[in-house]
Amino acid sequence: MAPAIDRAFIGAMHAARDNGGHALVLAYGGRAAGTLIELRNPLAAGRTVGHEITDGPYRYQNPDEVMHSLQHSAEQGLLTRNRDGRFAATEHGSAFLNDLYAHHSAVLAERWEEGHSAQLKRLIPLTGRVMKAAGDTGGQGWAVFAPPHEPAGSTPGTILLNRLSTLRAHRADAHAAAWQEAGLTVGEILAMEPGPDRDAIEDDTNTRAGVPYESLTPDERLTLLADLAALP
């Protein structure tokens, strides 16, 4: 599942960036706005984020640099830092996120919905069932991103995009659990070369990440793969 999800998600995000997304980010301050893109689901839903992101979705990055990026976005008026040190979107930040969701909707209406409506009609309920099952095994990254923000009126394209994003966080958590179970640190897993030890971690990752897909029948899993592969 992972390669199929990655291909569809990354392709869609690149299309959004190259067809007006970059200009949208620049209009809201460049890098300060860009920080909000990956955290769009919790922030757009009104949730706050804090140091837990350095142990979850940003576990491979320098924690000080991660928090500095959030602080920079706050200084530019897109985020506010609460008394407990957690960040939330300001009115200006929420305006950016609303514009971002609208932009994703427009791009994906052309990229996915035109000519692939049958696939989307199947993918939405299938990913919904996988998402529900993933809540039982998700880790710290999942806790940050789930549930994806799906306000009333969300288009099929944006719903699928953000579900795929959240499922990628589930797999990242599975990978972290696998190398932690092997007694490795972040530095050690980043430096590990290909070989039997790495293969064992990847196999364990696949086993852990695959659990939510057991909520689907074998035929449904094949449908999910085929429909993802049909998307441009």
Side-chain angles (χ1 to χ4, degrees), residues 111-131:
R111 181 177 178 85
W112 282 354
E113 294 172 31
E114 293 182 10
H116 299 87
S117 59
Q119 284 83 6
L120 288 176
K121 287 180 180 179
R122 290 188 293 265
L123 286 167
I124 297 300
L126 289 176
T127 54
R129 287 167 56 191
V130 176
M131 289 281 298

Side-chain angles (χ1 to χ4, degrees), residues 91-106:
E91 183 177 347
H92 188 51
S94 294
F96 167 70
L97 292 169
N98 288 336
D99 286 348
L100 179 69
Y101 271 75
H103 175 63
H104 284 170
S105 178

Side-chain angles (χ1 to χ4, degrees), residues 2 40 52 62 74 91 138 147-149 164 176 194 198 205-206 216 219 232:
R40 65 191 178 279
E52 76 280 355
N62 183 299
E91 183 177 347
H149 185 49
L164 296 183
R198 183 70 186 231
T205 298
N206 290 336
L216 306 180
D219 284 346

Side-chain angles (χ1 to χ4, degrees), residues 4-175:
I5 289 174
D6 286 350
R7 187 195 68 84
F9 173 77
I10 294 172
M13 292 298 287
H14 285 178
R17 178 199 63 195
D18 296 340
N19 291 276
H22 182 62
L24 175 63
V25 169
L26 290 178
Y28 277 90
R31 183 171 64 88
T35 301
L36 276 66
I37 295 178
E38 188 167 4
L39 295 168
R40 65 191 178 279
N41 278 291
L43 292 174
R47 303 197 297 270
T48 61
V49 297
H51 283 280
E52 76 280 355
I53 67 174
T54 63
D55 296 321
Y58 297 98
R59 57 176 61 92
Y60 302 110
Q61 299 182 33
N62 183 299
D64 292 336
E65 293 179 358
V66 171
M67 299 308 294
H68 177 75
S69 292
L70 292 178
Q71 183 60 39
H72 177 66
S73 297
E75 292 168 356
Q76 298 302 309
L78 294 163
L79 297 178
T80 183
R81 195 166 194 175
N82 301 329
R83 291 181 179 179
D84 58 1
R86 300 182 62 76
F87 292 88
T90 62
E91 183 177 347
H92 188 51
S94 294
F96 167 70
L97 292 169
N98 288 336
D99 286 348
L100 179 69
Y101 271 75
H103 175 63
H104 284 170
S105 178
V107 170
L108 294 175
E110 180 177 351
R111 181 177 178 85
W112 282 354
E113 294 172 31
E114 293 182 10
H116 299 87
S117 59
Q119 284 83 6
L120 288 176
K121 287 180 180 179
R122 290 188 293 265
L123 286 167
I124 297 300
L126 289 176
T127 54
R129 287 167 56 191
V130 176
M131 289 281 298
K132 183 177 180 179
D136 295 330
T137 53
Q140 292 168 303
W142 174 266
V144 171
F145 291 130
H149 185 49
E150 299 176 0
S154 294
T155 61
T158 57
I159 290 174
L160 181 61
L161 177 76
N162 292 316
R163 288 184 182 180
L164 296 183
S165 176
T166 310
L167 288 172
R168 293 177 83 234
H170 181 277
R171 181 175 177 81
D173 286 343
H175 183 59

